[in-house]
Amino acid sequence: MPYESSAAWQYDVPTTGSTRLPPDAGYGKALTNQGYGFEVAVADLIDNSLDAGADEMVVHFLRDAERILTLLIIDNGRGMDDAGLDDAMTVGKRRDYDDDSLGMYGTGLKAASLSHASSLTVVSRTRRTRAAGRRLTAEGIEDGFRCDTVDPRYAQDLVDRYDGVIEWQGTVVRWDRVRTFETVARGQSDQYLSKAISRLETHLGLYFHRFLRKGLKLDIAVWDVGDGGQWEELDHISVEPLDPFGYKVPGRAGYPRSFTAPVEGVGDVTLTAHIWAAKSKQAGFRQIGALAERQGFHFYRNDRLVQAGGWNGLRSPEGHLVLARVEVDLPATPNGVFSLDVKKEGVTVTPAFTLGVEKAVDAAGHTFHAYILDAEAAYRDGTKRTEIVRKPVTPPGKGVDPKVKRVVKEELPQKPAEEPIAFTWAPLPDDRFFDLDREANAVLLNRSFREDFNDGRRGGSNDAPVTKTLLYLLLEDCFGLGRWEKARQDRVDYWNTILLASVQVQRERRERGVS
């Protein structure tokens, strides 16, 4: 019916027709400035891999002698054909999501990638289709969202290069012209990668810890592309789960406890309340960020952590509540109470949630407020205990397995601003089992003995973990010193002599087949 003027309030706005308005190319600037942190952007791409059914993934940094070149994320998921690739690279194209999907808005691949890289390439293959690829660049977006078709021969070559992950199906996401990589000065690549990988490992280990516990294989690797097509692996780590509730003993008897919160518009919501032990050195407590930021609610959506701490308006963070963490699985069905931000690192709640929490009780009738009081009491009791203070150390670095590095970090305080001690196999004289490069903070191991510690195999970058760990414990105090004392050099010399004897015994036993 045509609109007729009236003094009455119009509950619906009258319209006379519609016009389709495609996005202007200028929208590309908004797309590339979504505020994604590096680790958050990579996590968003891993969500896509998990939605594709992948159970094995590699985050792969490529570098050469002068610079960091490219980042790739490889998975063994279902893959995409040409039509699927076109949909994936279409800005604003929203696919249908299952209730258990991690994706939500259909913008993650483009927004996360182009927030950091000026060129995004996706190459994929399914069980029924050959490898194909698409490339989206900043220049292409400005040119009316132009998307380039990747040469199918290159697409197949790239898939073949990663046949250890992609057997019959899978996807490679490639970032080129990564803006942070381009700011790394010559000679600083190792330092940048060491810190970037450490942050990435922590973030992925935390936000995907439930998937990692269930068997997800997620690795981070660094390769030098070298000259003449010779690639060399420089580092390779397996991401381990960092469970924010993974304590061995709770900080208060009777915990964890499950509270039921009646939330209007949703129904009953389960709050699993935990209290950590005071002064815990476990990685899930100490190594996932500032303790004050990790107290409070940890929200999960389909087993993926989407908020790691915060009270969401219930109360303010307080020092005496750092032991209190609450596990909440978001309802599977959409609702008007919980909303997740596009980057999946924060949840917004309406007052209905906090009102429900205030009314929450457990099976025995304990209130949520009583839990808060118990967490405060556990903190006060913990601060009264006398603690042995351990001497700070320079942390182990490249060449040491991440699991070992994590335990060292749990057990010993770290010296601030100290470059980690790296372990490298290098050509050394026959009368040296190891040597020290104190300027580079590195322990050099005699390359000719490498196979003796790897059952005759070359081993990977983090090989010989026992040998390297024992040497780290022996040699840690040899770094970061001023004057090099004769007594310390003498100690290094006789350690070398004794270790040379032990490695010769090891070699003789291996040659005789004696275990």
Side-chain angles (χ1 to χ4, degrees):
M1 291 180 59
Y3 171 67
E4 295 183 3
S5 298
S6 171
W9 172 252
Q10 294 292 322
Y11 286 89
D12 292 313
V13 176
T15 61
T16 59
S18 300
T19 302
R20 296 194 180 276
L21 302 173
D24 183 82
Y27 173 67
K29 296 214 177 278
L31 187 70
T32 59
N33 288 280
Q34 297 288 315
Y36 275 90
F38 183 79
E39 300 83 26
V40 175
V42 172
D44 213 327
L45 302 190
I46 289 172
D47 287 340
N48 293 338
S49 297
L50 288 168
D51 280 349
D55 59 11
E56 185 174 351
M57 304 167 209
V58 178
V59 180
H60 204 173
F61 293 85
L62 296 186
R63 55 163 295 181
D64 61 15
E66 295 186 350
R67 59 202 172 106
I68 307 167
L69 303 172
T70 300
L71 178 80
L72 303 102
I73 297 170
I74 306 98
D75 73 53
N76 66 346
R78 287 184 294 273
M80 293 172 280
D81 57 16
D82 283 284
L85 284 164
D86 286 339
D87 286 347
M89 299 295 264
T90 299
V91 175
K93 180 79 172 182
R94 189 177 185 278
R95 62 181 173 87
D96 293 329
Y97 292 100
D98 298 328
D99 288 343
D100 60 352
S101 294
L102 300 179
M104 292 183 67
Y105 303 111
T107 61
L109 172 65
K110 286 78 68 177
S113 300
L114 295 171
S115 290
H116 291 275
S118 296
S119 176
L120 163 66
T121 302
V122 180
V123 168
S124 193
R125 65 168 291 182
T126 72
R127 285 182 177 270
R128 295 181 176 85
T129 60
R130 297 179 59 82
R134 300 290 185 271
R135 185 185 67 171
L136 193 62
T137 64
E139 296 83 4
I141 289 175
E142 291 179 3
D143 186 22
F145 291 91
R146 185 191 75 245
C147 184
D148 303 322
T149 300
V150 174
D151 188 311
R153 294 168 299 179
Y154 171 76
Q156 187 61 51
D157 285 347
L158 188 60
V159 166
D160 289 344
R161 185 176 290 280
Y162 291 104
D163 61 359
V165 179
I166 301 174
E167 295 182 5
W168 299 102
Q169 59 188 19
T171 299
V172 180
V173 176
R174 171 174 169 167
W175 289 1
D176 288 298
R177 291 151 57 196
V178 179
R179 287 179 280 279
T180 53
F181 294 176
E182 293 174 346
T183 64
V184 178
R186 290 189 177 186
Q188 299 298 313
S189 294
D190 283 343
Q191 294 91 322
Y192 172 84
L193 284 172
S194 176
K195 293 176 182 177
I197 290 172
S198 177
R199 291 193 300 268
L200 184 61
E201 180 192 8
T202 297
H203 186 88
L204 300 181
L206 173 62
Y207 282 83
F208 295 98
H209 71 89
R210 288 187 177 179
F211 292 93
L212 293 163
R213 288 275 185 219
K214 291 188 292 186
L216 171 64
K217 188 177 188 301
L218 176 55
D219 293 352
I220 303 173
V222 180
W223 283 70
D224 190 317
V225 299
D227 296 323
Q230 298 298 315
W231 289 37
E232 180 184 4
E233 184 178 75
L234 302 178
D235 201 1
H236 193 120
I237 65 172
S238 295
V239 177
E240 297 293 324
L242 280 172
D243 188 348
F245 306 101
Y247 47 76
K248 296 171 183 174
V249 178
R252 198 76 167 177
Y255 284 91
R257 289 181 184 170
S258 291
F259 293 83
T260 300
V263 178
E264 185 177 352
V266 174
D268 290 342
V269 174
T270 300
L271 316 171
T272 305
H274 300 257
I275 298 177
W276 273 85
K279 301 179 182 178
S280 173
K281 294 182 175 65
Q282 285 185 247
F285 184 62
R286 292 280 179 188
Q287 296 181 28
I288 61 173
L291 292 180
E293 295 175 2
R294 296 299 181 229
Q295 65 179 270
F297 297 114
H298 289 62
F299 288 107
Y300 293 81
R301 178 177 174 271
N302 294 332
D303 279 341
R304 203 267 212 204
L305 186 62
V306 292
Q307 177 178 303
W311 290 108
N312 294 79
L314 180 72
R315 58 187 310 118
S316 298
E318 299 175 37
H320 50 266
L321 283 178
V322 294
L323 309 180
R325 294 179 183 175
V326 185
E327 198 171 4
V328 185
D329 284 281
L330 294 174
T333 55
N335 59 82
V337 177
F338 301 99
S339 59
L340 180 61
D341 69 19
V342 174
K343 294 175 288 183
K344 299 179 205 146
E345 59 175 350
V347 175
T348 301
V349 302
T350 66
F353 173 68
T354 52
L355 289 172
V357 172
E358 290 171 351
K359 298 174 183 176
V361 294
D362 68 3
H366 299 110
T367 65
F368 192 81
H369 180 67
Y371 158 67
I372 296 294
L373 295 177
D374 284 344
E376 291 175 337
Y379 174 80
R380 287 195 300 269
D381 292 344
T383 57
K384 296 175 184 176
R385 298 174 190 154
T386 303
E387 184 179 18
I388 296 173
V389 178
R390 294 175 178 174
K391 179 183 174 183
V393 299
T394 302
K398 181 181 173 182
V400 178
D401 192 278
K403 294 178 183 177
V404 176
K405 290 192 278 192
R406 182 170 295 142
V407 174
V408 171
K409 195 171 182 180
E410 287 179 357
E411 295 295 330
L412 298 169
Q414 314 281 288
K415 291 179 181 176
E418 285 282 346
E419 191 68 28
I421 299 171
F423 284 76
T424 305
W425 296 97
L428 295 177
D430 291 341
D431 62 347
R432 303 295 287 181
F433 177 71
F434 72 89
D435 218 332
L436 305 182
D437 184 344
R438 295 179 61 238
E439 289 187 7
N441 262 33
V443 177
L444 309 179
L445 304 173
N446 195 323
R447 184 183 294 168
S448 64
F449 300 131
R450 188 172 192 177
E451 289 186 357
D452 297 290
F453 291 93
N454 290 289
D455 296 323
R457 299 186 300 272
R458 182 181 180 278
S461 56
N462 298 325
D463 59 1
V466 174
T467 302
K468 290 177 178 177
T469 302
L470 289 173
L471 281 173
Y472 167 75
L473 295 173
L474 286 172
L475 298 168
E476 182 277 328
D477 64 351
C478 293
F479 294 90
L481 301 169
R483 188 169 58 88
W484 183 247
E485 301 169 351
K486 288 184 178 180
R488 200 176 296 273
Q489 182 62 53
D490 179 63
R491 188 177 66 175
V492 168
D493 290 340
Y494 72 69
W495 279 346
N496 250 302
T497 302
I498 296 169
L499 286 168
L500 275 172
S502 71
V503 78
Q504 291 296 345
V505 171
Q506 171 79 6
R507 174 171 288 182
E508 291 169 4
R509 291 174 67 85
R510 187 168 66 85
E511 290 173 350
R512 297 199 310 267
V514 178
S515 59

